[in-house]
Amino acid sequence: MISYNRSPDIPFDRSINPYRGCEHGCIYCFARPTHAWLGLSPGLDFETRLFYKPDAPAILRQELAKPGYRCRTVMLGANTDPYQPVERAKRVTREILEVLAESRHPVGVVTKSALIERDLDILQPMAEQRLVNVSISITTLERSLARKMEPRAAAPERRLETVRRLAQAGIPVGVLVAPVIPALNDPEVESILDAAKQSGATSAAYVMLRLPLEIKDLFQEWLVAHFPLRAEHVMNRMRDLHGGKEYDSTFGTRQRGTGVYAQLIARRFEVARERLGFPGLSPLDATRFQPPGRRPQLDLFER
């Protein structure tokens, strides 16, 4: 149930993904190629032929109970959104959170959905024990652009409201500006951070657009259809980021790029973050972990 990675680009070594495919339909989603592994289209099939893991809570319990398991923060939603619309009916994410809460296991959640507010009854007690933080993905504040890029995701203002409600509930929440797309949403970096800070976000991060495998062709087709006059300019800037190529998968640079343009975006982001005074998210507490099914008090008496 838990996937492990050794990537130096991300601050976690394990994740849980309740779903494959995503109804949000974000054209830029780096997870789209995973559907090709199933013999399905990274395009429309990714958005309409979804897979879920009904036994996820039971399998997770087994994994967390293994004698050799070592607790570290697990990321929920590192691949596809754990709170996409199908979660309303399937509730896999909620049941996973229930297992993690019972085990006092730290978890980070990444989403762009307001549905996460449904689970405040689980998240709030976890936050009091420093067991959870949340990152809300905000790509643009322009509703018209959002509807084109992320047709079935929550509107930008609704995501900011989610940031506000999580913060008011005492849940550490940050904003993830991802992806930053050259000549499309990059002028909004500062305004997104401003809005996020006013809504209660305590951290901010960004990732540049990535175009691995089939995403490159899907994105270019979408770009020509919706922004024909800007399409070539956007792709030229992408090549500037990757030494003349549309994408470079090299660790250390794949999420930020290299060169003058990459340095400009990084500097703008850092200046805005420092100006606004984001304090950052505190480390989560892995010392409280208790494997599922263990009864320490009773075990003591049984010895």
Side-chain angles (χ1 to χ4, degrees):
M1 193 58 225
I2 302 175
S3 299
Y4 292 86
N5 76 83
R6 296 182 180 179
S7 171
D9 292 334
I10 50 181
F12 55 88
D13 70 349
R14 62 197 68 184
S15 59
I16 298 174
N17 295 289
Y19 301 100
R20 279 199 177 189
C22 185
E23 296 174 81
H24 287 158
C26 306
I27 188 60
Y28 52 74
C29 183
F30 66 85
R32 284 181 177 273
T34 60
H35 251 46
W37 302 345
L38 304 172
L40 298 172
S41 161
L44 189 59
D45 284 347
F46 180 80
E47 304 173 24
T48 59
R49 301 188 66 180
L50 309 176
F51 297 81
Y52 74 104
K53 302 174 182 178
D55 297 328
I59 296 172
L60 180 59
R61 281 179 176 276
Q62 294 172 8
E63 293 188 22
L64 297 183
K66 289 180 179 178
Y69 181 76
R70 295 295 178 264
C71 178
R72 295 184 65 179
T73 297
V74 63
M75 185 59 61
L76 187 56
N79 199 31
T80 55
D81 200 312
Y83 283 103
Q84 59 180 291
V86 70
E87 167 63 13
R88 290 188 178 91
K90 300 304 180 184
R91 299 171 68 87
V92 180
T93 296
R94 181 176 175 87
E95 292 179 9
I96 288 172
L97 282 176
E98 288 173 342
V99 174
L100 295 174
E102 175 192 337
S103 306
R104 291 177 286 183
H105 194 297
V107 59
V109 183
V110 180
T111 183
K112 53 170 62 81
S113 173
L115 182 57
I116 190 173
E117 296 171 16
R118 178 200 64 186
D119 294 339
L120 285 176
D121 61 315
I122 301 175
L123 298 173
Q124 194 168 25
M126 293 185 76
E128 292 172 355
Q129 302 177 72
R130 291 178 40 231
L131 293 176
V132 68
N133 59 44
V134 176
S135 292
I136 300 296
S137 175
I138 301 177
T139 316
T140 178
L141 298 179
E142 296 183 15
R143 179 181 274 262
S144 61
L145 178 57
R147 290 281 69 82
K148 293 172 183 176
M149 285 199 303
E150 311 157 328
R152 289 172 293 281
E157 59 271 21
R158 186 64 183 90
R159 295 184 217 180
L160 289 170
E161 179 61 24
T162 296
V163 171
R164 185 175 298 108
R165 293 182 181 180
L166 290 171
Q168 289 173 347
I171 297 164
V173 57
V175 62
L176 181 61
V177 186
V180 175
I181 304 175
L184 201 60
N185 72 338
D186 71 314
E188 296 188 69
V189 165
E190 291 83 358
S191 58
I192 292 173
L193 295 191
D194 279 331
K197 186 64 165 59
Q198 292 174 19
S199 298
T202 58
S203 75
Y206 79 97
V207 177
M208 296 297 297
L209 174 66
R210 296 167 51 190
L211 297 175
L213 304 172
E214 296 90 346
I215 301 177
K216 179 181 69 175
D217 292 336
L218 288 168
F219 180 77
Q220 289 190 80
E221 290 175 7
W222 174 88
L223 197 56
V224 170
H226 292 281
F227 299 97
L229 299 181
R230 276 192 272 179
E232 189 58 30
H233 183 45
V234 171
M235 295 311 300
N236 283 338
R237 292 287 77 77
M238 289 300 299
R239 297 181 188 104
D240 290 342
L241 288 169
H242 301 295
K245 300 181 293 184
E246 282 88 2
Y247 181 61
D248 180 358
S249 61
T250 303
F251 285 144
T253 62
R254 59 180 183 159
Q255 298 198 70
R256 298 293 176 87
T258 60
V260 174
Y261 182 73
Q263 294 170 6
L264 175 62
I265 294 295
R267 182 59 182 157
R268 284 177 52 201
F269 194 90
E270 191 58 34
V271 167
R273 185 162 56 184
E274 290 179 359
R275 171 177 58 84
L276 292 165
F278 286 97
L281 296 174
S282 299
L284 299 179
D285 187 357
T287 66
R288 299 173 182 267
F289 175 66
Q290 182 66 51
R294 295 281 182 87
R295 299 176 300 165
Q297 294 87 354
L298 293 180
D299 288 347
L300 180 63
F301 285 109
E302 289 170 356
R303 285 173 186 167

